[in-house]
Amino acid sequence: MTAPVLQRLAAMLPPGRFLERPEQLAAYESDGLTAFRTRPSAVVIPETADEVIALVRFCHAERLPFVARGSGTSLSGGSLPVAGGIVIALNRLNRILKLDPAQRIAVVEPGVVNLDVTQAAAVHGLHYAPDPSSQSICTIGGNVAFNSGGAHCLKYGMTSNHVLGLKAVLATGEVVEWGGPSRETVGPDWCGLFTGNEGLFGIALEITLQLLPRAECFHTVLAGYRTLEQAGDAVSAVIASGLLPGAMEIMDALALEAAVAAVHAEYPPGCEAVLIVELEGPREVVAADRERLDRMIAASRPVEARPARDAEERTAIWKGRKSAFSAVGRLSPDFIVQDGVVPRRRLGEALRRIGQMAQKSELRVANVFHAGDGNLHPLILFNGRESGALSRAEALAGAILEMCVEMGGSITGEHGVGVEKREYLPAMFSAEEIDCMRRLRSAFDPLGIANPGKMFPTSEAPALQQHGLHPLEKAGVILRE
């Protein structure tokens, strides 16, 4: 980027909201996938939708690449900056513009934190269902970009199932408005198309979210198993029975060790895996389903099954699960968070094969996943200072993705493709299908300036420089949960 362009860009915002010094840019060099780092030419911090629109139109006129970014918790390099481009940081667009309990909707700006929506709706007996593990810090704009899920996506679906309307500025500078407060749509599902675009179409400015009544009653069970396969088979049995829990999660022994170290969680001793199952809904329904679930858990022969006796115990169970990703940093200086999907009926087999591959690679793998929908999150531990360790970790991560596709699953469940998985896209899609995706992207962004280099296979190598926790995590400034 030339100096005159930088100067004109800087003039668009008040002092303090245009960052270009190296120490200012350091925090924006990577997202949650800290193995990849790129320094942008500048970071701009708009505070209004009009400022975002003006910035995007400037980028289009100057053919200047831009990356929209919220809290940077994405785990596939999706918000990795582009060399010679800018980052448009959206955290100050953090207003809940409208909360209508009668219509059960919230209209929010992209920088609103996920959990803040539920907290604002709680006084009306409502909540926002998608709950990524990073929900206490991740933003709705990022959730829309990556179609985030969470522990309760088994019952309630992904972000796309809860976005009713969007106002967005496309990469061309055109402002569009799709959908609205109604749950009935007419014509093409533009909101569904935009959700999960990974920032390749433009930037969401206002998002209309569906709110749901908070469950009247919860029944949360933690069951410990001698093997991962037993835990996976228990999940298959519950789903096959017709029960639809709010959430079903599995953590293996290594993930349990990390959670104990991080938040002092208590788990049954001598277990290779823990299964968390949560029922929720009307009191009478949960009471009936509870009896069926308890019988099935008992039939799966756990080492121990512990139902939460009160809200405090339920919170403790979920705190251990939601701390697992960041907690693994206590066990290893470096780790790769992988994300793939396998059919539920093959969960046990997939976990066994991951264990075998890890042993062959001489690496440890902590498994944490949304068991109800087969979404695996193997955490591959390695020491980047050891010669060849990173290469072995990356090879193992790739082998896990290939296994997922071979089993009839997907290379991503909720983390997106970003830069991490773009070379694996042809494993799932034909050349014709990928070409169709490229042409669709070009319809929204003919110049290819919105988050370039992401999702699609390319010969360009990302800047692989840093491993382990982000510098701000090490400093205790942020927590990725």
Side-chain angles (χ1 to χ4, degrees), residues 298-322:
S300 65
R301 296 189 297 178
V303 173
E304 182 181 347
R306 296 179 185 169
R309 292 171 294 185
D310 51 36
E312 184 177 348
E313 289 191 0
R314 174 178 176 258
T315 299
I317 288 173
W318 282 114
K319 185 177 182 181
R321 163 59 186 91
K322 294 206 169 189

Side-chain angles (χ1 to χ4, degrees), residues 235-405:
V235 170
S236 299
V238 171
I239 296 297
S241 74
L243 273 182
L244 184 59
M248 296 186 75
E249 301 284 303
I250 287 180
M251 301 168 62
D252 73 0
L254 203 52
L256 297 175
E257 180 185 341
V260 169
V263 298
H264 310 294
E266 295 184 4
Y267 299 109
C271 295
E272 285 298 316
V274 156
L275 169 65
I276 301 169
V277 186
E278 182 165 274
L279 302 173
E280 59 179 64
R283 193 171 302 279
E284 295 79 4
V285 174
V286 171
D289 288 347
R290 174 177 181 165
E291 293 184 7
R292 295 174 59 197
L293 175 64
D294 289 348
R295 287 197 299 270
M296 280 183 284
I297 293 294
S300 65
R301 296 189 297 178
V303 173
E304 182 181 347
R306 296 179 185 169
R309 292 171 294 185
D310 51 36
E312 184 177 348
E313 289 191 0
R314 174 178 176 258
T315 299
I317 288 173
W318 282 114
K319 185 177 182 181
R321 163 59 186 91
K322 294 206 169 189
S323 71
F325 280 15
S326 55
V328 167
R330 294 173 178 263
L331 304 184
S332 174
D334 305 291
F335 60 93
I336 294 175
V337 182
Q338 194 48 277
D339 167 49
V341 181
V342 298
R344 286 187 296 247
R345 69 182 187 281
R346 303 188 72 175
L347 267 177
E349 177 189 355
L351 293 169
R352 175 174 50 79
R353 288 179 59 179
I354 289 173
Q356 292 170 346
M357 289 188 284
Q359 188 173 19
K360 185 176 180 180
S361 301
E362 298 181 347
L363 294 168
R364 294 189 299 166
V365 175
N367 287 286
V368 181
F369 53 97
H370 307 314
D373 59 350
N375 189 184
L376 309 172
H377 293 312
L379 307 170
I380 303 168
L381 281 55
F382 67 100
N383 186 343
R385 297 182 181 87
E386 293 181 4
S387 177
L390 173 59
S391 296
R392 295 202 316 276
E394 289 185 316
L396 176 56
I400 290 172
L401 294 181
E402 290 168 347
M403 177 201 73
C404 290
V405 175

Side-chain angles (χ1 to χ4, degrees), residues 108-155:
V108 307
E109 292 184 318
V112 171
V113 171
N114 177 294
L115 187 58
D116 288 351
V117 181
T118 283
Q119 290 176 338
V123 296
H124 305 289
L126 303 172
H127 77 295
Y128 178 59
D131 60 339
S133 293
S134 57
Q135 71 176 142
S136 62
I137 186 173
C138 68
T139 55
I140 296 296
N143 293 171
V144 169
F146 292 95
N147 193 23
S148 303
H152 290 81
C153 64
L154 169 63
K155 184 172 184 177

Side-chain angles (χ1 to χ4, degrees), residues 417-427 455-460:
V417 176
V419 296
E420 179 198 27
K421 301 176 182 179
R422 61 188 180 184
E423 305 307 326
Y424 294 95
L425 205 64
M455 190 181 293
F456 297 110
T458 174
S459 58
E460 298 176 6

